[in-house]
Amino acid sequence: MTELEQYVTSYFGVAEPEELEIISSFFKPETIKKGDYFLLTGKAADKLSFIQTGLLRVFLATENKEVTQWISTKGYFVTDLSGFIFEQPARWTIQALADTELFTIKREDYKKIGTLMSKWHELEKLFIARCFTTLEDRIFSHLSMSAEERYTLFFEHNKSLFNQVPLQYIASMLGMTPETLSRIRKK
Amino acid sequence: MTELEQYVTSYFGVAEPEELEIISSFFKPETIKKGDYFLLTGKAADKLSFIQTGLLRVFLATENKEVTQWISTKGYFVTDLSGFIFEQPARWTIQALADTELFTIKREDYKKIGTLMSKWHELEKLFIARCFTTLEDRIFSHLSMSAEERYTLFFEHNKSLFNQVPLQYIASMLGMTPETLSRIRKK
DNA sequence: GATTCTACTTGACAAAAATCAAGAACATTT
DNA sequence: AAATGTTCTTGATTTTTGTCAAGTAGAATC
């Protein structure tokens, strides 16, 4: 099984080798350089990718500051989910934090899968439901934890990110300032 | 169109009258009294309901405090989504804040819809994707706004809740203490 | 190797929010 | 109407987190 097939399997749980091959064939390799934009807020969110190497930051620039929503690394998927699904302008901007290799599927091809595989929409549903659950946990962390507790929890599960990603972005993603994160880490 | 059919339509966007009738027929009226539990953390999350009258609070009791995740009113659906979809124990406890009338579908009946309507899983997917987007917005509010800004935004969109629901639960749902909410409201 | 740029840290201070404790307002029951 | 039980408010205080400003460290560029 190729790495791409593993990514597809881990997110969509596709079982039949033939189906998996069909789906994977729609994904095309793509490379973006550090600093390049994968997606811009307001533009068409018409692709979904798995990250082979590199790092992408999902954020939104407001008047005062940039708010980092998420950071994706190898093995993660990346897209503006609501824009991709509902064919609406992207809510997020997505930028490469390092040179990044992707496997990308265009929305038109993604939509074809649903016509080729009868159970595809159910797999999609389960995929999105897992994304929902992840966000539910994240909301809970903001309702019930201090900045330090959020940091500790996140650090336990994402140690490897801390070598690769500027801490200011992790701070933003956890809902605190870089200074606060720095002070928490000093302990 | 019955009220139930309107609820189903607004969440699942079902178009054909016959299909709508089939789906609606699986929902049964149910009544729960103020203080009763709709669902308990750890128990089977095997039903999904629309609220006809009344109020339900979705929360989790931790060692220190109860964390209110959401409050549902007339026209909203209510369930433990991840438990319902993945057939796992409920993550949340759901309790009636007032006498409440519901239309409830059991999971076994819900699953039948998928066998009767070929496009059901796609509608489900879109339904859950909208839930996902709502949570994304909520995360963003915690990453980028102060307690006062979160209150103002929520109040603008949910004025009617404030007459019906004890403010302490709204405070918890917005990620602040009842005292902080009270002080913000004094202004 | 010096320069520039960026990320990170640190300190002093300010603001926001939590905590603790008391009391007031309101509804419910008796 | 009195008593009870919640919920909400308010004040005093502490803790947490943010802001501003300066300085340091490290990588990248020249």
Side-chain angles (χ1 to χ4, degrees):
Chain A
M1 202 187 273
T2 66
E3 288 205 66
L4 172 60
E5 286 172 349
Q6 283 173 31
Y7 302 152
V8 173
T9 303
S10 82
Y11 279 100
F12 294 100
V14 179
E16 307 300 326
E18 310 82 41
E19 293 173 338
L20 187 52
E21 213 170 301
I22 293 170
I23 295 169
S24 298
S25 70
F26 286 124
F27 284 85
K28 308 297 178 202
E30 179 185 9
T31 304
I32 59 179
K33 289 237 170 298
K34 177 173 177 171
D36 283 355
Y37 291 95
F38 175 78
L39 196 62
L40 285 166
T41 299
K43 303 285 180 184
D46 54 5
K47 55 187 185 173
L48 180 149
S49 303
F50 287 104
I51 300 179
Q52 169 73 346
T53 64
L55 283 164
L56 291 172
R57 177 172 72 107
V58 180
F59 69 98
L60 181 60
T62 68
E63 304 115 63
N64 310 317
K65 55 185 173 185
E66 286 182 355
V67 178
T68 297
Q69 213 272 343
W70 190 252
I71 293 162
S72 285
T73 53
K74 180 179 171 58
Y76 279 80
F77 77 96
V78 64
T79 188
D80 179 289
L81 195 58
S82 79
F84 185 73
I85 298 288
F86 296 113
E87 311 201 8
Q88 284 176 356
R91 296 147 53 88
W92 307 106
T93 292
I94 304 179
Q95 186 180 26
L97 293 179
D99 291 355
T100 298
E101 294 172 324
L102 303 165
F103 293 111
T104 297
I105 189 169
K106 297 219 166 92
R107 183 162 49 212
E108 54 187 299
D109 287 330
Y110 183 89
K111 285 162 77 173
K112 282 182 199 157
I113 302 175
T115 67
L116 297 170
M117 266 180 74
S118 58
K119 70 170 179 213
W120 175 246
H121 292 308
E122 187 172 6
L123 299 179
E124 268 189 288
K125 174 193 83 174
L126 296 173
F127 161 62
I128 297 172
R130 269 190 294 147
C131 296
F132 174 89
T133 302
T134 302
L135 289 197
E136 237 182 18
D137 287 339
R138 237 180 124 192
I139 298 262
F140 186 79
S141 79
H142 282 278
L143 299 185
S144 66
M145 294 177 181
S146 66
E148 185 165 351
E149 290 168 327
R150 289 198 302 278
Y151 165 76
T152 303
L153 182 66
F154 184 77
F155 181 71
E156 289 305 320
H157 293 90
N158 300 275
K159 281 206 172 65
S160 63
L161 260 197
F162 286 78
N163 316 320
Q164 309 171 58
V165 180
L167 295 177
Q168 55 179 320
Y169 301 137
I170 294 179
S172 174
M173 187 181 144
L174 292 173
M176 65 186 80
T177 60
E179 292 94 332
T180 296
L181 179 61
S182 175
R183 287 182 178 111
I184 288 171
R185 280 169 64 79
K186 198 165 66 164
K187 298 185 190 176
Chain B
M1 204 189 274
T2 65
E3 288 206 63
L4 172 59
E5 286 171 348
Q6 283 174 29
Y7 303 152
V8 172
T9 304
S10 81
Y11 279 100
F12 295 100
V14 179
E16 306 301 325
E18 310 82 39
E19 293 173 337
L20 188 53
E21 213 169 302
I22 293 169
I23 295 170
S24 298
S25 70
F26 286 123
F27 284 86
K28 308 296 179 200
E30 180 186 8
T31 303
I32 60 179
K33 289 236 170 299
K34 178 173 177 170
D36 283 354
Y37 291 95
F38 175 78
L39 196 61
L40 285 165
T41 299
K43 302 286 180 184
D46 54 5
K47 56 186 186 174
L48 179 150
S49 302
F50 287 105
I51 300 179
Q52 169 73 347
T53 64
L55 283 164
L56 291 173
R57 177 172 72 107
V58 180
F59 69 99
L60 181 60
T62 68
E63 306 115 61
N64 309 318
K65 55 184 173 183
E66 286 182 355
V67 178
T68 297
Q69 213 273 342
W70 192 252
I71 292 162
S72 284
T73 52
K74 180 178 171 60
Y76 278 81
F77 77 97
V78 64
T79 188
D80 179 289
L81 196 59
S82 79
F84 185 73
I85 297 287
F86 297 113
E87 311 200 10
Q88 284 176 355
R91 297 148 52 91
W92 307 105
T93 293
I94 303 179
Q95 186 179 27
L97 293 179
D99 292 355
T100 298
E101 293 173 323
L102 304 165
F103 293 112
T104 297
I105 189 168
K106 297 219 167 93
R107 182 162 50 212
E108 53 187 296
D109 288 330
Y110 183 89
K111 285 162 76 173
K112 281 181 200 158
I113 301 175
T115 67
L116 296 171
M117 265 179 75
S118 58
K119 71 169 178 212
W120 176 244
H121 292 309
E122 187 172 6
L123 300 179
E124 269 188 287
K125 174 193 83 175
L126 296 172
F127 161 63
I128 296 172
R130 267 190 295 148
C131 296
F132 173 89
T133 302
T134 303
L135 289 198
E136 237 182 18
D137 288 338
R138 238 180 122 190
I139 299 263
F140 186 79
S141 80
H142 282 279
L143 299 186
S144 66
M145 294 178 181
S146 67
E148 185 165 349
E149 290 168 328
R150 289 198 302 279
Y151 164 76
T152 303
L153 183 65
F154 184 77
F155 182 71
E156 289 304 321
H157 293 90
N158 300 275
K159 282 207 172 65
S160 63
L161 260 197
F162 286 78
N163 317 319
Q164 309 171 57
V165 179
L167 294 177
Q168 55 179 319
Y169 300 137
I170 294 178
S172 174
M173 187 181 143
L174 292 174
M176 65 186 81
T177 61
E179 292 93 332
T180 296
L181 180 61
S182 176
R183 288 185 177 109
I184 288 171
R185 281 170 62 80
K186 199 165 65 165
K187 299 183 188 176

